Amino acid sequence: MFTAVDHEYMSRALELAARGLRTSTPNPRVGCLIVRDGRVVGEGWHERAGEPHAEVLALAQADGAARGATVYLTLEPCSHHGRTPPCVDALIEAHVGRVIVAMEDPNPKVDGRGLQKLRAAGIEVRCGLLEHDALELNIGFVSRMLRRRPWVRMKIAASLDGRTALPDGSSQWITGDAARADGHAWRARACALLTGIGTVRDDDPQLTVRAVETTRQPLRVLVDSRLEVDLGARIVRGSGKLLIACARTIPGKLAELRDRGCEVIEIPDARGKVDLPALLAELAGRGINELHVEAGYRLNGSLLREDCVDELLVYLAPMLLGNATGMVDLLAPPALDAAPRLALQSLDRIGDDIRVLARLPGRLPHRRVSDNAADRLTGAHESAS
């Protein structure tokens, strides 16, 4: 059994890991706490790829006090050489006494090997403390490792009767300042922001993070099957990388877009549209963990129909728009019991608006610790009670 003190220390490690929420991509968000004789002697968190990992920073702070100490880690230590050396070797060389890990690393290059190496060195290893919290913090990284696709979050701002724009396309602004700032905070944690050509024509968005502080702008992705984007659109003129996915290229337009620093990829499906599942695979190959979608009802519907959405982030404003544009372009189910039931994750008031976070069925991309190598390495699975 994990103790109340163990929970307290792992909670602190998770708080540290969350500091990398907007910066660690494509790496996971990881926090580390080193405790000896009831006193925290080292803390660390991973800020960005290529820089020291959480374990290395915590060990440097602890120095000699790490010998015989207990290490609380939100993710299994890496056991392979990447941009930095394996963290498991640093823990072994520091002669720590015990390592408690929230969850295994789903990266096939690790996948239990870090825990195995620690155990082989005579270090006590326990896994599974606050596992769910660790998973939620890195749900995009886990999705990319296990499903080879990003975690896709679709953001929608709508009236209380589910309308996103007037018949003439007017939609700015349905929600209030607080909800829009909150939406930008969700943008900031994403690795990429995706929209469609219809939204670019109607709203001319910049598709950037502006309402909250950030040191990194996500990759911007435009779905534009016929390469119709206006060269004067703000999404083209703005700074930051723009990736345009189309179904067919137009040589002259392609050259002009490339001259403006845009990257264009051709990913057609059988209907002459952009192959959306293939686009997700392409983004995963580029290290995109979380994809934040802000598009119109047509592209929203296409993404849902093609099973390319994991959760909905919906802001509902206290207004009624009547016979106006809806949230998604989907056919009605033949019966109520045929409609997919979403799992409500949270319901919060943001300013004068309501924020709903709901997950589509079967979307938790994770193998329980007890189902994989951890039990074989550490004995019976220790779970929080």
Side-chain angles (χ1 to χ4, degrees):
M1 301 286 288
F2 293 115
T3 68
V5 172
D6 289 331
H7 280 77
E8 180 183 343
Y9 286 138
M10 186 61 80
S11 294
R12 173 58 182 168
L14 287 164
E15 289 177 4
L16 293 168
R19 295 183 182 181
L21 191 69
R22 301 176 184 176
T23 59
S24 69
T25 181
N27 290 350
R29 298 139 181 165
V30 182
C32 179
L33 200 71
I34 301 178
V35 179
R36 181 173 178 178
D37 299 328
R39 183 172 64 90
V40 175
V41 295
E43 290 186 340
W45 55 281
H46 182 52
E47 184 170 3
R48 56 177 56 86
E51 296 187 2
H53 288 189
E55 302 94 312
V56 173
L57 293 171
L59 286 169
Q61 190 178 104
D63 199 17
R67 180 180 287 271
T70 297
V71 178
Y72 294 86
L73 261 175
T74 60
L75 187 69
E76 175 185 2
C78 61
S79 56
H80 65 291
H81 282 272
R83 299 187 192 184
T84 58
C87 291
V88 67
D89 292 347
L91 291 169
I92 293 171
E93 291 168 7
H95 301 287
V96 302
R98 183 172 64 143
V99 176
I100 296 179
V101 178
M103 64 175 285
E104 282 192 42
D105 189 338
N107 187 339
K109 295 179 180 179
V110 184
D111 196 23
R113 295 179 185 89
L115 303 183
Q116 185 176 22
K117 196 168 184 178
L118 289 171
R119 189 171 178 82
I123 297 171
E124 179 187 350
V125 177
R126 300 175 71 192
C127 191
L129 175 59
L130 298 184
E131 179 189 14
H132 179 77
D133 300 272
L135 168 62
E136 288 295 331
L137 186 62
N138 279 309
I139 198 162
F141 178 76
V142 174
S143 176
R144 180 165 66 88
M145 290 296 110
L146 297 185
R147 304 190 302 170
R148 299 297 184 266
R149 55 175 272 182
W151 182 261
V152 180
R153 183 178 297 114
M154 177 179 287
K155 180 258 185 180
I156 301 173
S159 61
L160 205 56
D161 54 348
R163 304 300 174 177
T164 60
L166 294 176
D168 66 0
S170 301
S171 62
Q172 298 178 348
W173 299 102
I174 290 176
T175 54
D177 291 344
R180 293 200 297 278
D182 189 72
H184 275 255
W186 285 92
R187 281 188 184 186
R189 69 172 282 169
C191 308
L193 311 177
L194 181 144
T195 194
I197 185 60
T199 299
V200 171
R201 277 196 302 256
D202 293 343
D203 297 339
D204 195 21
Q206 298 178 62
L207 208 65
T208 56
V209 178
R210 300 181 303 281
V212 297
E213 184 178 346
T214 183
T215 59
R216 172 193 63 88
Q217 286 291 341
L219 171 70
R220 298 173 302 155
V221 183
L222 172 61
V223 176
D224 183 6
S225 293
R226 295 188 291 271
L227 213 57
E228 298 173 301
V229 64
D230 191 308
L231 297 176
R234 292 200 295 178
I235 198 171
V236 174
R237 292 187 288 108
S239 60
K241 187 173 181 180
L242 174 63
L243 176 67
I244 303 175
C246 67
R248 63 182 179 89
T249 56
I250 303 169
K253 186 71 167 288
L254 180 61
E256 290 177 313
L257 287 168
R258 285 177 173 168
D259 285 344
R260 286 162 172 77
C262 304
E263 182 182 359
V264 180
I265 55 174
E266 191 174 355
I267 316 181
D269 65 10
R271 299 171 298 124
K273 301 287 188 180
V274 171
D275 188 324
L276 296 173
L279 176 58
L280 294 189
E282 170 71 23
L283 293 174
R286 294 170 180 245
I288 301 301
N289 294 329
E290 293 186 20
L291 177 64
H292 180 95
V293 176
E294 293 195 26
Y297 81 106
R298 288 191 179 89
L299 181 53
N300 285 349
S302 296
L303 286 162
L304 285 163
R305 283 194 303 272
E306 298 187 41
D307 198 29
C308 292
V309 180
D310 296 307
E311 65 184 6
L312 299 179
L313 177 67
V314 182
Y315 295 86
L316 295 174
M319 65 170 65
L320 303 174
L321 295 183
N323 188 23
T325 305
M327 293 192 287
V328 296
D329 182 19
L330 288 176
L331 292 175
L336 284 177
D337 58 7
R341 284 282 180 178
L342 279 64
L344 186 63
Q345 302 297 300
S346 63
L347 182 66
D348 299 283
R349 179 168 177 168
I350 309 294
D352 291 330
D353 305 311
I354 298 296
R355 183 186 68 195
V356 180
L357 185 66
R359 190 164 292 171
L360 275 76
R363 282 310 197 274
L364 198 62
H366 187 48
R367 300 162 298 173
R368 292 291 303 175
V369 168
S370 57
D371 292 338
N372 54 34
D375 279 343
R376 297 193 298 274
L377 297 174
T378 63
H381 173 54
E382 300 282 352
S383 61
S385 60

